[in-house]
Amino acid sequence: MIRASVPGHSLARGTLNLLLLQEPDLGPGDLARVRGRRARHVREVLGAQVGQRITVGLLNGPLGRGELLEVSAEEVVLRVQLEGASPPASGIELLLALPRPKILRKVLQAAASMAVERLVLVNSFRVEKSYFDSPLLAPQALLEELVLGLEQGRHTRLPQVEVRTRFKPFVEDELSSLWPSSQAAKVLFHPGASGPLRPESLGAARLVAGVGPEGGWIPFEVDLLAQQGFKAVSLGPRPLRVDVAVPYLVGQLTLARDVARTQS
Amino acid sequence: MIRASVPGHSLARGTLNLLLLQEPDLGPGDLARVRGRRARHVREVLGAQVGQRITVGLLNGPLGRGELLEVSAEEVVLRVQLEGASPPASGIELLLALPRPKILRKVLQAAASMAVERLVLVNSFRVEKSYFDSPLLAPQALLEELVLGLEQGRHTRLPQVEVRTRFKPFVEDELSSLWPSSQAAKVLFHPGASGPLRPESLGAARLVAGVGPEGGWIPFEVDLLAQQGFKAVSLGPRPLRVDVAVPYLVGQLTLARDVARTQS
């Protein structure tokens, strides 16, 4: 892990456990150039120097190593070898009632750092409609938050984010082809559910978790999702904020699948 | 769950799923009075009105109901019945390398909302010493963050927070009486561990989880904790930020204990 070598220097936003490169950063040859936030981070926070080697990765591609050739105020130049493996996929996807922007920002970063593969941000009766107007939902803004998460989690695969402003058409018309019950185990984390997650049914390659808004899904929504194969499970007796609930349930799903596979 | 009834009004800090009362708020008789942040929250965020009933709880005591008798700019007066059950304990305790203050604040709130019973904030080779000077570690500041978490999680029991500036004396001299191996199952979440959490060994009433600093525990620390019964387990291939790792592992511990008890 790359660690701050300048004591007391706070990490501006997120932690750069890998330098994530995108196609436009590459070339000519095996060189890569980064500017802006990433260059400042490499220089000021990592305190990296010419000759040093750091972990790099290509967005949606493999991991690799980069040797620093130039470190200036404007730009960092590296010689990169992108011949590592691609980081392992998690198989976890989320159906999330759109949270308020401040919470969404944290959820996007956390989800990317945990290698969540897809987030569908959906409307729900208890979602405030103004949340859909947030500038955070613009593609470039989403990308920025997700990249911070990938840098933290040393992951390269960008989660696919989809926004659906209408709950019923999404659930009735799109959900079954996106997550066919033959391929995906679907659980709905819901305060009203009678029991906790049961590992037995979670050996599937794809795990989909539904997470409601702060006040919970309404019965109509729970019923409609149940018709599409979502089994309601409880997160326990305590209402958790969505940015806490998401890592909590991703931890549970990951362990449940481990247990299911060990037992089968 | 109490929900905001004023559309578009953002929740200042945290969500008040219960109004948490302290002894000085009580009396005379069955009346309770709150001022300041809590009074503003009840009035402005919940939009609560005279005659309405809300969920209340006594710090380190039972839950109950409160009927609003007065709602003014300065003060909220309620008639309270504190005859509910105390919320269930989680049995989960954390040994946490002290994170930087911004992250600690999130961890304190999240831990309280998940009913974590104790947090020992300990030094480690990779903890920056200046973190121990943070004003957030003052008793009143800790209390404020923890109360926000309790209000979110509708929990009343304050986690016990202890700060230890010296790792070795704490582990060698205090740890075995705090967490005797006969009573507590101890796991150390550590990037270098060979495998994930195994539910088999987690039927104990008390579960203690150790979480290292961003760069991980050093081998000396892992060895010393292993001598005190901590079994190293992996959180997976991705380094998670501590405020994401804590809910992730509390979710895993909770599920692991469910599974262990179902199987035994």
Side-chain angles (χ1 to χ4, degrees):
Chain A
M1 186 175 300
I2 301 168
R3 295 190 55 248
S5 61
V6 185
H9 195 99
S10 70
L11 304 178
R13 290 184 70 195
T15 301
L16 198 71
N17 286 321
L18 92 163
L19 177 64
L20 191 63
L21 303 168
Q22 304 188 25
E23 289 289 350
D25 304 323
L26 300 180
D30 57 1
L31 299 186
R33 284 162 205 277
V34 298
R35 294 168 161 268
R37 178 186 64 84
R38 289 175 298 165
R40 280 197 305 280
H41 198 106
V42 168
R43 202 177 69 252
E44 295 170 16
V45 183
L46 304 183
Q49 293 174 346
V50 169
Q52 205 175 323
R53 295 168 68 83
I54 63 176
T55 303
V56 302
L58 182 64
L59 190 65
N60 292 322
L63 293 171
R65 300 287 291 169
E67 183 190 348
L68 291 164
L69 302 181
E70 289 176 38
V71 179
S72 76
E74 291 82 33
E75 193 177 55
V76 166
V77 181
L78 312 93
R79 173 172 295 126
V80 296
Q81 287 190 304
L82 289 164
E83 292 157 2
S86 289
S90 70
I92 294 175
E93 303 169 67
L94 298 179
L95 172 66
L96 201 64
L98 183 66
R100 59 196 156 100
K102 192 184 148 193
I103 303 291
L104 175 60
R105 189 184 300 277
K106 297 177 185 182
V107 170
L108 290 168
Q109 291 187 24
S113 76
M114 296 183 293
V116 166
E117 297 187 26
R118 185 193 305 268
L119 281 113
V120 178
L121 301 168
V122 72
N123 198 3
S124 144
F125 184 77
R126 294 197 175 122
V127 166
E128 235 175 72
K129 302 311 161 258
S130 65
Y131 296 169
F132 283 95
D133 302 327
S134 168
L136 188 55
L137 292 178
Q140 187 60 33
L142 287 172
L143 179 66
E144 282 174 21
E145 301 301 330
L146 296 170
V147 161
L148 290 172
L150 295 177
E151 291 173 351
Q152 164 67 46
R154 214 184 282 134
H155 190 59
T156 60
R157 186 163 298 279
L158 202 63
Q160 196 154 340
V161 178
E162 282 144 50
V163 180
R164 293 293 181 270
T165 53
R166 296 176 65 211
F167 178 84
K168 194 161 173 276
F170 168 72
V171 176
E172 289 186 336
D173 305 337
E174 286 191 71
L175 202 150
S176 66
S177 54
L178 185 61
W179 295 315
S181 292
S182 58
Q183 293 172 17
K186 291 170 268 188
V187 293
L188 191 67
F189 286 92
H190 183 60
S194 58
L197 195 63
R198 289 276 162 241
E200 299 83 65
S201 55
L202 295 175
R206 297 172 71 190
L207 301 181
V208 184
V211 186
E214 300 247 328
W217 306 101
I218 61 171
F220 168 78
E221 294 165 344
V222 175
D223 291 347
L224 214 61
L225 289 167
Q227 286 168 30
Q228 297 293 334
F230 276 85
K231 286 181 65 168
V233 300
S234 165
L235 273 180
R238 292 167 277 271
L240 301 180
R241 219 169 65 179
V242 175
D243 55 322
V244 174
V246 165
Y248 186 100
L249 65 89
V250 171
Q252 289 209 333
L253 290 171
T254 305
L255 178 64
R257 188 170 45 195
D258 281 348
V259 170
R261 289 180 176 172
T262 306
Q263 293 177 345
S264 69
Chain B
M1 187 173 302
I2 301 170
R3 296 189 53 249
S5 62
V6 186
H9 195 103
S10 70
L11 303 178
R13 291 185 71 196
T15 302
L16 198 72
N17 286 319
L18 92 163
L19 177 65
L20 191 63
L21 302 168
Q22 304 188 26
E23 289 288 350
D25 304 323
L26 299 180
D30 57 0
L31 299 186
R33 285 161 205 276
V34 299
R35 295 168 159 268
R37 178 187 64 83
R38 290 175 297 165
R40 280 196 306 279
H41 198 107
V42 168
R43 202 177 69 253
E44 296 170 16
V45 183
L46 304 182
Q49 292 172 349
V50 168
Q52 205 174 324
R53 294 168 68 84
I54 63 176
T55 303
V56 301
L58 182 64
L59 190 66
N60 292 322
L63 294 171
R65 301 286 291 168
E67 182 190 349
L68 292 164
L69 302 182
E70 289 176 38
V71 179
S72 76
E74 291 83 32
E75 192 177 57
V76 165
V77 181
L78 313 92
R79 174 172 294 127
V80 296
Q81 287 190 302
L82 289 165
E83 290 156 5
S86 289
S90 71
I92 294 174
E93 302 170 67
L94 299 178
L95 172 65
L96 203 65
L98 183 66
R100 59 196 155 99
K102 191 184 149 193
I103 303 291
L104 175 60
R105 188 184 301 277
K106 296 177 186 182
V107 169
L108 290 168
Q109 291 187 24
S113 77
M114 295 184 292
V116 166
E117 296 188 27
R118 186 194 304 267
L119 281 114
V120 178
L121 301 168
V122 71
N123 198 5
S124 146
F125 183 78
R126 293 195 177 125
V127 165
E128 235 175 71
K129 301 313 160 257
S130 65
Y131 296 170
F132 283 95
D133 302 327
S134 167
L136 188 56
L137 292 178
Q140 188 59 34
L142 286 171
L143 179 65
E144 282 174 20
E145 301 301 330
L146 296 170
V147 162
L148 291 171
L150 295 178
E151 290 173 351
Q152 164 66 47
R154 213 184 282 135
H155 191 58
T156 59
R157 188 163 295 280
L158 202 63
Q160 196 153 340
V161 178
E162 281 144 51
V163 180
R164 293 293 180 271
T165 54
R166 296 177 65 210
F167 178 84
K168 193 160 173 278
F170 168 72
V171 176
E172 289 186 336
D173 306 336
E174 286 190 72
L175 203 150
S176 66
S177 54
L178 187 60
W179 296 313
S181 292
S182 58
Q183 293 172 18
K186 291 169 266 186
V187 294
L188 192 67
F189 287 91
H190 183 58
S194 58
L197 195 63
R198 292 273 162 244
E200 299 82 68
S201 55
L202 295 175
R206 296 173 71 191
L207 302 181
V208 183
V211 185
E214 299 246 328
W217 305 100
I218 61 171
F220 168 78
E221 293 165 344
V222 175
D223 292 346
L224 213 60
L225 289 167
Q227 287 168 29
Q228 296 294 334
F230 276 85
K231 287 181 66 167
V233 300
S234 166
L235 272 180
R238 292 168 276 273
L240 301 181
R241 219 169 64 179
V242 175
D243 55 322
V244 175
V246 165
Y248 185 100
L249 66 88
V250 171
Q252 289 209 334
L253 290 172
T254 305
L255 178 64
R257 188 172 44 195
D258 280 349
V259 171
R261 289 179 176 173
T262 307
Q263 292 176 348
S264 68

